């Protein structure tokens, strides 16, 4: 049996260094209680841009620029030392960490953001970085489009781990690409919540015959910084839960074994048996004996996107 923990805590919103420090403490807390895999939510560092669901694209242009500027300044650059504390605690505690980040482009303009999820190995290295393929609705005003170069399942001490972010999980071909890599633990960091979302994750677990971890985004108005602009207009109810979380652990049979953690903060623990994946796929292996490669095939472009070149 392997113990895992899903972190359902708010970040120190729009503050990269303080959020990373909070994440380090949460990893230490979870690891001290036996967790070997520790999962954070979508865009945990430095926070999910929840304001996009309340602002008007035209009328709130100035406010959008102001908030976006703060997000950009606090986003993560993977080639820097910004994540070093999180890498060091993974190595120190010998745990695998999966964490959502706002990633800042380093190759071209340095102004494009991606909704990314990173896997940190127990050796303290970034083992994989996946950029969300398709930002949803107003998310396209914040994040660029990812590619499939990081859409990988990686070996870890706890099993074969992979991740799709939020509504990427509604993309059947993306799911199939993950299943085809022999995924054991399918991680879905998300801003979505509620019963319909939970039923979606249950379907994915049954479909893929894998463990599914829904890492829910939790945020209250009281978690916003004191200098958050126009907070009284955007969030007049100071007791409001902007997002209720709903972190959950689902077995390969589609059964809920822990959670959902709703309108609560904390660590959601579960003990899982990865060998249950094999039992689940005995009768239904949609990329194995239940597939029809003579009829269907899937081709995935795993090449990294390259910027357009301009010749003077």
């Amino acid at each position: 049996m392997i113990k895992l923990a899903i972190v359902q805590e708010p970040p120190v919103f729009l503050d990269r260094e303080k959020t990373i420090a909070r994440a380090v403490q949460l990893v230490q807390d979870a690891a001290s209680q036996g967790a070997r895999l520790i999962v954070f939510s979508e865009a945990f560092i430095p926070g999910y841009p929840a304001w996009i669901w309340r602002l008007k694209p035209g009328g709130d242009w100035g406010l959008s620029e102001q908030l976006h500027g703060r997000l950009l300044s606090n986003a993560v650059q993977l080639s820097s030392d910004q994540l070093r504390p999180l890498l060091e605690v993974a190595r120190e505690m010998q745990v695998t960490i999966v964490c959502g980040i706002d990633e800042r482009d380093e190759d071209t303009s340095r102004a494009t953001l991606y909704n990314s999820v990173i896997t940190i190995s127990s050796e303290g290295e970034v083992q994989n970085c996946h950029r969300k393929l398709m930002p949803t609705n107003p998310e396209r005003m914040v994040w660029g489009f990812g590619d499939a170069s990081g859409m990988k399942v990686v070996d870890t001490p706890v099993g074969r781990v992979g991740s799709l972010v939020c509504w990427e999980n509604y993309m059947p071909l993306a799911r199939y690409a993950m299943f085809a890599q022999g995924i054991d633990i399918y991680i879905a960091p998300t801003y979505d919540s509620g019963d319909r979302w939970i039923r979606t994750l249950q379907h994915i677990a049954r479909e893929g015959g894998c463990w599914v971890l829904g890492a829910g985004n939790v945020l209250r108005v009281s978690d916003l910084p004191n200098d958050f602009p126009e907070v009284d207009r955007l969030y007049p109810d100071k007791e409001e839960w902007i997002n209720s979380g709903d972190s959950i652990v689902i077995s390969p049979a589609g059964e809920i074994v822990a959670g959902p953690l709703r309108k609560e903060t904390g660590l959601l623990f579960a003990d899982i048996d990865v060998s249950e994946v094999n039992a689940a796929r005995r009768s239904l292996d949609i990329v194995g004996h239940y597939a029809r490669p003579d009829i269907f095939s899937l081709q995935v472009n795993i090449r990294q996107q390259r910027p357009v070149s301009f010749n003077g």
Side-chain angles (χ1 to χ4, degrees):
M1 302 291 285
I2 297 165
K3 177 168 281 191
L4 59 86
I6 300 175
V7 175
Q8 186 164 291
E9 292 281 354
V12 182
F13 201 66
L14 294 180
D15 189 315
R16 179 183 57 237
E17 280 71 31
K18 289 183 179 179
T19 297
I20 291 172
R22 177 173 289 181
V24 168
Q25 182 62 59
L26 290 164
V27 168
Q28 292 171 334
D29 292 347
S32 68
Q33 298 180 65
R36 310 304 338 136
L37 171 65
I38 301 167
V39 179
F40 290 84
S41 64
E42 178 179 9
F44 182 78
I45 305 171
Y48 180 95
W51 60 83
I52 59 176
W53 300 98
R54 305 230 174 165
L55 297 184
K56 298 177 181 179
D60 290 314
W61 186 270
L63 181 55
S64 294
E65 286 188 332
Q66 182 180 350
L67 289 167
H68 187 88
R70 289 179 64 170
L71 181 64
L72 183 69
S73 297
N74 284 274
V76 175
Q77 294 175 270
L78 289 177
S79 66
S80 71
D81 287 335
Q82 293 164 349
L83 287 176
R84 181 177 295 277
L86 201 55
L87 303 182
E88 289 178 346
V89 77
R91 182 174 63 251
E92 174 191 351
M93 307 302 292
Q94 285 293 286
V95 295
T96 300
I97 299 171
V98 176
C99 184
I101 63 172
D102 292 279
E103 181 196 357
R104 184 168 181 169
D105 162 58
E106 300 173 283
D107 297 325
T108 53
S109 71
R110 297 168 56 85
T112 295
L113 292 174
Y114 295 98
N115 182 341
S116 300
V117 58
I118 56 172
T119 302
I120 301 173
S121 73
S122 55
E123 286 77 38
E125 299 176 350
V126 176
Q127 196 170 3
N128 190 50
C129 175
H130 169 57
R131 293 172 171 175
K132 186 177 181 181
L133 300 177
M134 195 66 207
T136 302
N137 292 337
E139 291 181 353
R140 296 171 205 171
M141 297 187 292
V142 176
W143 292 308
F145 291 9
D147 58 37
S149 61
M151 202 165 68
K152 300 173 182 175
V153 173
V154 296
D155 285 308
T156 75
V158 299
R160 290 181 58 77
V161 172
S163 181
L164 293 178
V165 184
C166 203
W167 275 22
E168 272 188 315
N169 291 283
Y170 285 123
M171 301 172 74
L173 300 183
R175 295 200 307 270
Y176 193 93
M178 303 301 283
F179 298 150
Q181 297 176 64
I183 194 168
D184 297 322
I185 304 173
Y186 181 118
I187 298 172
T190 184
Y191 189 73
D192 206 344
S193 60
D195 293 338
R196 288 190 301 176
W197 175 249
I198 291 170
R199 289 194 293 270
T200 292
L201 297 185
Q202 288 182 280
H203 168 81
I204 291 171
R206 184 73 182 97
E207 177 184 61
C210 53
W211 288 92
V212 170
L213 313 184
N217 201 300
V218 68
L219 190 69
R220 297 157 297 191
V221 173
S222 59
D223 296 316
L224 299 177
N226 292 332
D227 62 348
F228 192 92
E230 299 192 35
V231 65
D232 291 336
R233 175 171 71 89
L234 297 177
Y235 301 101
D237 181 0
K238 302 308 178 187
E239 304 299 318
E240 179 186 356
W241 288 79
I242 300 172
N243 200 309
S244 60
D246 278 352
S247 293
I248 196 165
V249 179
I250 301 169
S251 78
E255 298 173 350
I256 296 172
V257 300
L261 196 63
R262 181 169 291 172
K263 291 187 177 181
E264 296 180 58
T265 59
L267 300 174
L268 180 66
F269 290 96
D271 293 307
I272 70 170
D273 183 353
V274 174
S275 69
E276 289 185 27
V277 167
N278 296 327
R281 293 175 184 163
R282 182 188 67 82
S283 57
L284 179 63
D285 184 354
I286 64 167
V287 295
H289 63 74
Y290 214 86
R292 286 294 304 274
D294 55 322
I295 299 174
F296 306 110
S297 64
L298 175 63
Q299 180 179 351
V300 181
N301 178 10
I302 62 172
R303 291 177 298 177
Q304 188 172 9
Q305 290 178 352
R306 298 296 180 187
V308 176
S309 296
F310 294 92
N311 296 317

